[in-house]
């Protein structure tokens, strides 16, 4: 079994389980034999991956609530006594943070503090994986990838809020989690995740799929920007491996880790859109003028630490990730596939590819 079968029978609490990444993580953990409980708001999209996978009925408990509500959150922790927490709940959109800066900080910073405090008050919790973003670093658009010990920052409110979460996590660890007790806390940094079931606004591939499905041309805002594109299962494998090591060895792994594609394998936004159009079969792409809001042009992570310490490295190339993502949407809109089974099939294919590459987490 992957991850040394560590999740079999464990109670795993996921915040943000109803979101895009959270839904995939919930599905995978349930397949690994975990008792999955989730605490999340519903994403403001139609459809939602959470509904497509019927997670509301499949999970042990699914609480639709806000992490800013500390009392309800603490009650949920007390009810389920989880062994490990994966904290994904967030306001995750850069562009929305321009119009909703207070919401972004209240959710991402104070909401995270609420989750940490709820975990600290729950004796069963032994490990905590706090998911932030690659955008937590002070981005100077350098060609070398950012390492885990580089300064945090952020031009926009979303990025800076996640930089704050990294600082919060470090200070919380030193203030309250001495020697990994009561639990071991690590942060996980990844970004530009793609995969089936993401319908969020202002994300490249969902924007492409919406346009192509409607028979329209997609307009690209920032065609020359490069991003560390990766299939959603790549960082989730990193989170699960990190959680495994925290449960097994605690403080040795209580640190920050980058998860991303290989260095210098980033792909331009325009190339991604054009490849999605090609795989889709009849999509049309045009370059737009943008709307004046700042977006980084170059962002790369150095993933040597995750490779060396965790044995986590990329399974798919960016183009393979695009193919897998587009295939998921084609199956969904073709209405011929059981999307729960189809999604589990993509997880199984991913694990098999990781085993072929002899990655230690996959055995």
């Amino acid at each position: 079994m992957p991850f040394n079968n560590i999740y079999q029978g464990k109670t795993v609490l996921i915040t943000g389980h109803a979101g895009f990444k959270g839904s995939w993580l919930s599905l995978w953990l349930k397949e690994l034999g975990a008792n999955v409980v989730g605490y999340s708001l519903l994403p403001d999209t139609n459809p939602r991956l959470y509904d497509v996978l019927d997670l509301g009925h499949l999970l042990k408990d699914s609480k639709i609530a806000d992490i800013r509500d500390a009392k309800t959150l603490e009650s949920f922790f007390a009810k389920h006594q989880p062994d490990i927490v994966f904290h994904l709940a967030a306001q995750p959109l850069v562009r929305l943070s321009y119009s909703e800066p207070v919401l972004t900080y209240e959710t991402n910073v104070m909401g995270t503090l609420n989750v940490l405090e709820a975990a600290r008050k729950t004796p069963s919790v032994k490990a905590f994986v706090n998911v932030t973003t690659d955008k937590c670093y002070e981005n100077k658009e350098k060609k070398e990838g950012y390492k885990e010990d580089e300064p945090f920052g952020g031009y926009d409110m979303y990025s800076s809020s996640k930089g704050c979460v990294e600082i919060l996590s470090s200070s919380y660890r030193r203030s309250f989690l001495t020697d990994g007790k009561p639990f071991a806390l690590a942060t996980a940094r990844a970004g530009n995740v793609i995969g089936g079931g993401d319908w969020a606004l202002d994300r490249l591939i969902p924007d492409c799929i919406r346009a192509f499905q409607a028979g329209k041309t997609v307009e690209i805002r920032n065609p020359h920007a490069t991003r560390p594109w990766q299939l959603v299962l790549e960082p989730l494998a990193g989170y699960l491996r990190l959680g495994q090591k925290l449960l097994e060895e605690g403080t040795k792994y209580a640190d920050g880790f980058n998860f991303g594609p290989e260095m210098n394998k980033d792909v331009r936004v325009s190339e991604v859109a054009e490849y999605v159009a090609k795989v889709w079969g009849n999509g049309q792409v045009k370059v737009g003028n943008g709307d004046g809001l700042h977006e980084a042009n170059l962002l790369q992570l150095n993933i040597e630490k995750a490779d060396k310490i965790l044995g986590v490295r990329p399974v798919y190339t960016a183009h393979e990730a695009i193919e897998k993502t587009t295939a998921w949407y084609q199956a969904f809109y073709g209405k011929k596939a059981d999307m729960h089974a189809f999604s589990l099939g993509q997880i199984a294919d991913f694990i098999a590819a990781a085993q072929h590459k002899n990655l230690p987490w996959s055995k």
Side-chain angles (χ1 to χ4, degrees):
M1 288 286 289
F3 311 108
N4 200 27
N5 204 26
I6 194 73
Y7 295 106
Q8 178 72 41
K10 293 282 195 307
T11 298
V12 181
L13 191 154
I14 305 172
T15 71
H17 74 291
F20 165 55
K21 284 205 297 186
S23 292
W24 275 103
L25 181 59
S26 298
L27 181 68
W28 196 347
L29 276 164
K30 190 171 187 303
E31 191 69 2
L32 291 171
N35 300 312
V36 182
V37 298
Y39 186 102
S40 177
L41 292 175
L42 291 174
D44 188 20
T45 66
N46 185 21
R48 302 183 186 107
L49 181 59
Y50 171 81
D51 298 322
V52 171
L53 299 178
D54 197 27
L55 292 177
H57 294 104
L58 291 175
L59 302 186
K60 182 179 178 182
D61 195 1
S62 175
K63 180 74 172 178
I64 305 305
D66 197 320
I67 58 172
R68 294 177 295 172
D69 181 352
K71 185 176 180 180
T72 300
L73 185 65
E74 289 177 10
S75 175
F76 190 75
F77 269 75
K79 175 182 177 182
H80 291 291
Q81 296 292 310
D83 298 288
I84 182 171
V85 178
F86 290 92
H87 174 44
L88 282 75
Q91 190 300 93
L93 300 174
V94 170
R95 300 176 75 76
L96 182 61
S97 74
Y98 281 101
S99 59
E100 296 286 355
V102 175
L103 171 67
T104 300
Y105 262 70
E106 285 180 343
T107 303
N108 294 355
V109 182
M110 293 308 298
T112 295
L113 182 57
N114 287 341
V115 179
L116 286 167
E117 284 288 88
R120 190 159 66 102
K121 294 175 182 177
T122 308
S124 61
V125 177
K126 297 296 180 286
F128 191 119
V129 178
N130 189 4
V131 176
T132 63
T133 176
D134 57 350
K135 297 176 182 66
C136 66
Y137 295 106
E138 182 63 37
N139 187 11
K140 299 178 181 177
E141 309 246 342
K142 65 177 187 175
K143 293 183 179 180
E144 303 82 16
Y146 293 94
K147 295 184 178 181
E148 285 85 350
D149 59 358
E150 296 199 49
F152 302 120
Y155 184 101
D156 58 84
M157 299 303 287
Y158 166 75
S159 302
S160 63
S161 74
K162 288 295 192 172
C164 289
V165 170
E166 286 285 352
I167 295 169
L168 165 63
S169 300
S170 177
S171 62
Y172 199 91
R173 185 189 296 118
R174 288 178 288 181
S175 297
F176 305 116
L177 310 179
T178 37
D179 298 324
K181 295 183 172 68
F183 58 86
L185 167 65
T187 58
R189 306 156 193 173
N192 289 91
V193 171
I194 62 175
D198 185 3
W199 281 283
L201 295 174
D202 295 323
R203 283 187 179 156
L204 179 60
I205 292 184
D207 286 349
C208 289
I209 297 299
R210 269 188 290 269
F212 300 160
Q213 177 64 17
K216 298 178 180 178
T217 299
V218 68
E219 185 172 318
I220 305 303
R221 276 192 316 267
N222 199 3
H224 303 298
T226 62
R227 297 286 186 270
W229 310 100
Q230 56 184 327
L231 189 69
V232 61
L233 301 178
E234 303 272 13
L236 295 188
Y239 305 164
L240 289 167
R241 177 64 163 174
L242 183 53
Q244 173 201 336
K245 290 299 187 179
L246 289 171
L247 286 169
E248 290 174 343
E249 300 185 56
T251 52
K252 181 178 177 182
Y253 297 89
D255 206 351
F257 288 88
N258 291 336
F259 300 104
E262 294 177 20
M263 285 287 295
N264 302 314
K265 294 295 179 72
D266 290 3
V267 182
R268 288 184 176 183
V269 166
S270 58
E271 185 180 344
V272 172
E274 288 162 3
Y275 196 64
V276 173
K278 178 182 177 181
V279 176
W280 185 264
N282 59 352
Q284 298 294 320
V285 178
K286 74 173 183 179
V287 175
N289 296 319
D291 54 14
L293 295 182
H294 176 273
E295 292 186 78
N297 285 304
L298 176 66
L299 184 59
Q300 289 195 108
L301 294 181
N302 183 305
I303 58 170
E304 291 177 0
K305 182 178 176 181
D307 186 356
K308 181 179 180 180
I309 296 178
L310 299 174
V312 174
R313 53 188 175 276
V315 175
Y316 291 147
T317 66
H319 286 86
E320 287 172 329
I322 294 167
E323 289 168 5
K324 295 287 185 182
T325 299
T326 308
W328 194 99
Y329 287 109
Q330 287 174 322
F332 176 81
Y333 285 110
K335 301 186 187 303
K336 295 179 181 179
D338 174 342
M339 295 313 298
H340 182 272
F342 190 90
S343 302
L344 286 176
Q346 288 203 326
I347 292 173
D349 290 345
F350 180 77
I351 294 171
Q355 289 171 340
H356 183 72
K357 291 195 171 190
N358 207 31
L359 299 189
W361 64 261
S362 65
K363 303 171 187 176

